[in-house]
Amino acid sequence: MPVTMHHFGALRDGTAVTAARLENSSGATATVIDYGATLQSLCVKDRGGRLVDVVLGYNDALQYESHGDYLGGTIGRVGNRIGGARFSLGGREYALAKNDGENHLHGGPMGFDRRMWSMCAEGDAVVCERLSPDGEEGYPGNLRVRVTYTLTEDNTLRIAYDADSDADTLFNPTNHSYFNLNGGGSAEGHWLQIFADRFCENDAATLPTGRLLPVEGTPFDFRAGKPVGADIGAQDEQLTRAGGYDHNFCLAGLRAAVLRGDKSGIEMTTYTDMPGIQLYTANFLSVRAGKGGSTMAPRGAVCLETQLYPNAMNCYGFPSPVLRAGRHMHSETVYAFACAE
Ligand code: BGC
């Protein structure tokens, strides 16, 4: 179905924000705004045939600009943390903007989620593009980025990332949607399966140390599936430090995770060509009103951020986020929806 565009309010400086709505013939919709190339809403049918908005968000642009938490935003240049907010590449040291103590998180204080993108419809897809200039948040190279959202007839949201740079740089994008497949309430009852035998050990600042730990026999074992909250309160240093799950899982293949709303029956399977996925149980989400009278609260959603392993520039052997000058980067993440009976 054709993409429809509508006005979505304005930023503090008056910049108009536009929303693009994708719809398939069974009535599922996805709405993307050009502020942050953000997924603002994603409505799919529950087992009773009712449409449920399965991502947290706001109803106007100003709220996205005023609040943090990266709701539905496109994260870049590098998702998650870079320890010490520095890295060396090609014999040079680069200092990045700090926004998480001494560290760099989600591309910095003015990451991709806080920028205006140019947005257009291409057939039945929405394409967001921007040029991230050399030096932005400390990164080298002029980086041209394109994020394409497609909603298919079989209720799959596909997010494709494409990028090129004129100098060697880093690139590790993700989408920071907060999923609640029941449409609200605590997400601790959601059933979750993650296809990973190992996860990244974190230090006290939620930075991967470089060690990969086996999930076997730990609260991180989601291989057979269990409720998100089943072991979240366990006396495990990795969990207590982060106030819940906030860890990268090392994926074994393209199928990354299955999340199911215990009340709605909505089931979401995540596929990605990235080697990692951050499970973040919204531990630090501030309590406040969201769209449509909803309330956001800690543990009220699950983020499944597909990515290269975090802090890769400081951890020997982690897949590299380096994008070489003149090389093209393409990556896809797919969220496929179905309904459990
Ligand atoms: C990170 C958390 C961080 C959150 C901010 C997540 O992706 O892993 O540590 O607090 O984003 O919304």
Side-chain angles (χ1 to χ4, degrees):
M1 287 222 210
V3 177
T4 52
M5 302 273 186
H6 61 271
H7 187 56
F8 194 74
L11 302 179
R12 253 175 259 134
D13 68 0
T15 306
V17 174
T18 301
R21 191 165 177 270
L22 298 159
E23 183 169 1
N24 70 13
S25 55
S26 58
T29 63
T31 304
V32 177
I33 58 171
D34 53 4
Y35 179 69
T38 299
L39 180 64
Q40 184 264 339
S41 141
L42 180 58
C43 295
V44 294
K45 285 189 178 155
D46 68 5
R47 58 161 88 88
R50 287 171 297 260
L51 278 176
V52 177
D53 193 344
V54 296
V55 293
L56 305 190
Y58 301 113
N59 265 337
D60 79 284
L62 254 189
Q63 282 181 289
Y64 279 98
E65 192 183 23
S66 319
H67 301 305
D69 295 318
Y70 309 93
L71 299 177
T74 293
I75 305 297
R77 296 189 189 188
V78 173
N80 217 281
R81 293 178 173 76
I82 299 180
R86 10 182 20 96
F87 66 94
S88 52
L89 183 62
R92 270 192 64 182
E93 272 276 309
Y94 293 93
L96 298 170
K98 295 179 182 170
N99 59 338
D100 185 55
E102 287 303 298
N103 306 320
H104 176 87
L105 173 65
H106 291 330
M110 283 299 289
F112 288 1
D113 61 298
R114 299 210 154 253
R115 305 280 181 178
M116 284 301 295
W117 294 61
S118 69
M119 184 170 77
C120 65
E122 269 186 23
D124 58 359
V126 171
V127 180
C128 300
E129 282 181 292
R130 76 176 289 264
L131 176 74
S132 168
D134 180 35
E136 186 174 76
E137 302 298 90
Y139 291 102
N142 292 296
L143 180 78
R144 195 165 282 285
V145 191
R146 187 178 158 100
V147 181
T148 307
Y149 287 93
T150 312
L151 180 65
T152 67
E153 280 300 308
D154 58 356
N155 300 319
T156 291
L157 181 74
R158 186 168 64 234
I159 309 178
Y161 302 92
D162 287 276
D164 302 273
S165 174
D166 61 4
D168 291 357
T169 191
L170 307 187
F171 190 53
N172 176 23
T174 193
N175 177 277
H176 208 298
S177 285
Y178 287 74
F179 294 101
N180 185 313
L181 303 185
N182 294 330
S186 167
E188 289 191 52
H190 280 50
W191 185 89
L192 175 65
Q193 187 173 23
I194 303 180
F195 303 98
D197 295 333
R198 293 181 301 171
F199 71 104
C200 291
E201 177 191 60
N202 285 347
D203 69 10
T206 325
L207 274 165
T209 60
R211 284 181 70 202
L212 304 181
L213 303 179
V215 298
E216 181 89 47
T218 76
F220 293 82
D221 194 348
F222 282 94
R223 292 174 298 180
K226 62 181 175 182
V228 169
D231 299 319
I232 206 167
Q235 279 314 303
D236 175 289
E237 195 186 39
Q238 286 294 309
L239 281 177
T240 47
R241 271 176 175 173
Y245 295 98
D246 194 356
H247 294 78
N248 177 66
F249 287 74
C250 309
L251 298 172
L254 291 177
R255 189 168 60 143
V258 180
L259 182 68
R260 192 184 315 132
D262 49 317
K263 300 201 169 66
S264 65
I266 294 172
E267 188 173 278
M268 179 181 89
T269 305
T270 304
Y271 299 89
T272 184
D273 51 18
M274 289 285 194
I277 195 165
Q278 185 86 5
L279 168 61
Y280 173 55
T281 43
N283 312 329
F284 314 113
L285 186 60
S286 356
V287 178
R288 73 171 85 97
K291 61 190 166 188
S294 62
T295 305
M296 301 182 202
R299 308 263 172 91
V302 172
C303 299
L304 290 166
E305 303 153 47
T306 58
Q307 59 185 359
L308 299 167
Y309 304 173
N311 200 26
M313 294 306 279
N314 296 310
C315 296
Y316 180 74
F318 278 15
S320 171
V322 173
L323 174 63
R324 297 282 171 204
R327 287 276 182 85
H328 183 76
M329 183 274 190
H330 176 84
S331 172
E332 290 189 19
T333 287
V334 158
Y335 297 110
F337 291 88
C339 234
E341 289 312 314

